[in-house]
Amino acid sequence: MDDVIILGAGIVGIATGIHLLRRGRSVTLVDKSEPGHETSFGNAGIIQREGVRPHPFPRDLQTLLQVGLHLSTAARYEPLALPRLAPPLLRYWWESSPDHYRKVVQSYAPLIGRSIITHSDLIQACGPETEKLISRYGWHLAFRSPDRLEKEAGKAQGDHDQFGISFKVLDWPALKSAEPDLIGGLAGAIHWTDPWTVRDPGALVEAYFQLFEKLGGTFIRGAAKGLKQTGNGWSADVNGRTVSAGQVVIALGPWAPDVLEPLGYRLPLFVKRGYHMHYGTSAAVKLNHLLLDPEVGYAMAPMARGIRITTGAEFAERDAAPTPIQLGRAERAAKELFPLGQRLDPQPWKGARPCTPDMMPIISKAPKHKGLFVGIGHAHHGFTLGPATGELLAQAMTGEATAIDIHPFRMERFMGG
């Protein structure tokens, strides 16, 4: 019997395994897919150190009307999903009120503060080939209107003053100097200088998984069924084989309710689905750094496979058929700014971001069962926060003092406790 079973081999599960192995625990990682091939794979590739403010529910009438009338590229919804999504979305709206949101940011900022530190630790452990995946330039939050650029510059200054986040304001000539092949249509950008970007997120997670195996971790591919508490720990069936351990970690992202609800944990989780596509360019054209176009609602990033466009949020059922409407809109908007070539993927990639109504993840011991721990609900920041979450869970599971206070991320906040 192992010390720990981890269900979910995304970046959170892998990082948790690494930190537990470093503390002398034996670990078995279980997933129905290859490691890192779900939400950890299909993102914009930002280690988002500046992201101290999680995405709130829009509260201005103009944005709400755009979403409600399906005019927005940044967010859309599937009407048939609304009956089930309405309760958590109503709470999401409530938690996004100014007073509540200020408290969320105060709790969330220290967690984001661990992002670069914990990624740097794992990247260094993986070696120089993994270092080649990383750019430390930062990224561009670009604006089409001077008024929006000025407004966001004021917010950025506030985050610098309160949280020490570094940035530069680039006017159009300065942005054009950094990105000579931009066509136009932009007033300038906020250059966030603290974050790192990754030219192949899937390859980075694969490198972390190789480190997990190098440290002695075991991986079993298959769906874990019938997770149950036993006399001395936990057991589950994987492909007809019983795996057991003293402790178990649920790091299944949007699939966590499938395991937690039979154990009596009904959490107000929902998903924001997203899509990506890669594009070619001519030999003479290059995008040097990630650019986010918030007035439309997509990101455009240079990746190993080509230029990757990632979409905003689609509120829909987790397993519903793809509806990549936002991708088409994002593609048209991106071509106004940059000479994108042909699509390189046979179809858009689709993933589901696991979300909580208060915009903060659950990093916690489960309150009703001994030896059950949970790391889920990271929304847009799962890739950023995977290693930090793994560090904090491993510390909590082995009785160490955690690097930051994890009380704000406890599961009980959704259970009346």
Side-chain angles (χ1 to χ4, degrees):
M1 184 172 78
D2 284 319
D3 294 320
V4 183
I5 303 166
I6 300 174
L7 303 185
I11 193 168
V12 173
I14 292 170
T16 303
I18 290 170
H19 283 285
L20 287 167
L21 289 164
R22 285 174 165 178
R23 288 160 173 80
R25 301 304 196 263
S26 57
V27 180
T28 294
L29 185 65
V30 179
D31 201 301
K32 64 182 180 180
S33 303
E34 290 296 326
H37 276 59
E38 294 292 346
T39 314
S40 301
F41 175 84
N43 54 75
I46 315 175
I47 302 172
Q48 212 166 344
R49 173 63 185 91
E50 91 299 337
V52 293
R53 300 183 183 277
H55 291 264
F57 196 97
R59 297 179 73 85
D60 63 286
L61 183 59
Q62 180 181 1
T63 301
L64 290 171
L65 284 173
Q66 286 180 335
V67 174
L69 297 173
H70 286 294
L71 301 176
S72 172
T73 301
R76 71 178 302 274
Y77 66 93
E78 280 296 309
L80 292 177
L82 285 182
R84 196 193 71 79
L85 292 176
L89 290 183
L90 180 61
R91 184 164 177 179
Y92 181 19
W93 177 83
W94 177 257
E95 296 284 1
S96 299
S97 69
D99 286 345
H100 287 152
Y101 188 66
R102 275 192 291 272
K103 296 175 183 176
V104 167
V105 171
Q106 289 296 327
S107 297
Y108 197 73
L111 180 60
I112 284 287
R114 297 297 299 170
S115 60
I116 294 291
I117 296 168
T118 51
H119 269 282
S120 179
D121 166 37
L122 298 189
I123 291 165
Q124 185 175 3
C126 289
E129 287 302 310
T130 302
E131 286 277 357
K132 295 177 183 178
L133 298 171
I134 309 300
S135 166
R136 291 169 173 78
Y137 172 87
W139 61 281
H140 296 137
L141 181 64
F143 292 93
R144 296 169 179 245
S145 62
D147 289 347
R148 280 293 303 274
L149 176 61
E150 182 179 359
K151 182 178 179 181
E152 291 300 318
K155 291 181 180 178
Q157 185 63 53
D159 286 345
H160 171 76
D161 296 343
Q162 187 173 1
F163 303 111
I165 307 299
S166 299
F167 73 100
K168 299 175 183 176
V169 179
L170 307 181
D171 60 13
W172 168 244
L175 180 58
K176 180 73 171 174
S177 177
E179 296 288 358
D181 292 317
L182 287 177
I183 297 169
L186 291 168
I190 307 297
H191 173 196
W192 294 113
T193 57
D194 289 343
W196 296 354
T197 56
V198 183
R199 63 189 299 268
D200 189 337
L204 183 65
V205 180
E206 173 63 26
Y208 290 171
F209 175 67
Q210 291 175 6
L211 175 61
F212 168 82
E213 291 195 310
K214 181 180 176 181
L215 292 171
T218 300
F219 174 66
I220 302 175
R221 182 171 180 181
K225 299 179 180 180
L227 179 68
K228 61 183 179 181
Q229 195 168 26
T230 63
N232 55 354
W234 291 86
S235 69
D237 179 81
V238 184
N239 298 333
R241 167 186 171 186
T242 299
V243 293
S244 58
Q247 295 176 311
V248 64
V249 178
I250 309 302
L252 287 165
W255 295 275
D258 298 349
V259 174
L260 290 172
E261 288 186 3
L263 296 172
Y265 298 99
R266 185 169 290 275
L267 302 170
L269 299 175
F270 61 98
V271 299
K272 296 180 185 178
R273 303 200 314 181
Y275 301 84
H276 84 224
M277 172 61 67
H278 293 99
Y279 299 82
T281 61
S282 69
V285 172
K286 184 179 180 183
L287 182 69
N288 295 314
H289 309 290
L290 183 144
L291 182 146
L292 195 149
D293 183 359
E295 289 170 277
V296 177
Y298 68 92
M300 178 167 50
M303 294 282 179
R305 181 165 167 73
I307 305 299
R308 177 182 289 185
I309 286 184
T310 54
T311 66
E314 179 186 56
F315 296 91
E317 295 286 1
R318 182 190 68 190
D319 301 323
T323 54
I325 296 168
Q326 290 160 292
L327 181 63
R329 293 174 177 171
E331 182 180 304
R332 290 190 292 274
K335 287 180 177 179
E336 298 171 1
L337 306 181
F338 184 83
L340 285 177
Q342 295 296 313
R343 291 186 173 194
L344 300 179
D345 302 324
Q347 61 187 17
W349 180 92
K350 173 180 71 72
R353 309 176 185 102
C355 302
T356 65
D358 66 0
M359 296 155 279
M360 298 197 299
I362 298 170
I363 305 171
S364 175
K365 181 187 181 301
K368 297 190 288 189
H369 292 82
K370 180 181 179 181
L372 176 62
F373 292 81
V374 179
I376 58 173
H378 295 79
H380 296 263
H381 287 155
F383 185 73
T384 292
L385 293 174
T389 298
E391 173 193 56
L392 294 167
L393 280 174
Q395 289 168 339
M397 293 170 70
T398 56
E400 294 180 32
T402 52
I404 64 167
D405 179 16
I406 62 172
H407 182 76
F409 311 112
R410 68 200 184 283
M411 184 186 288
E412 289 94 326
R413 72 188 194 270
F414 296 122
M415 301 173 62

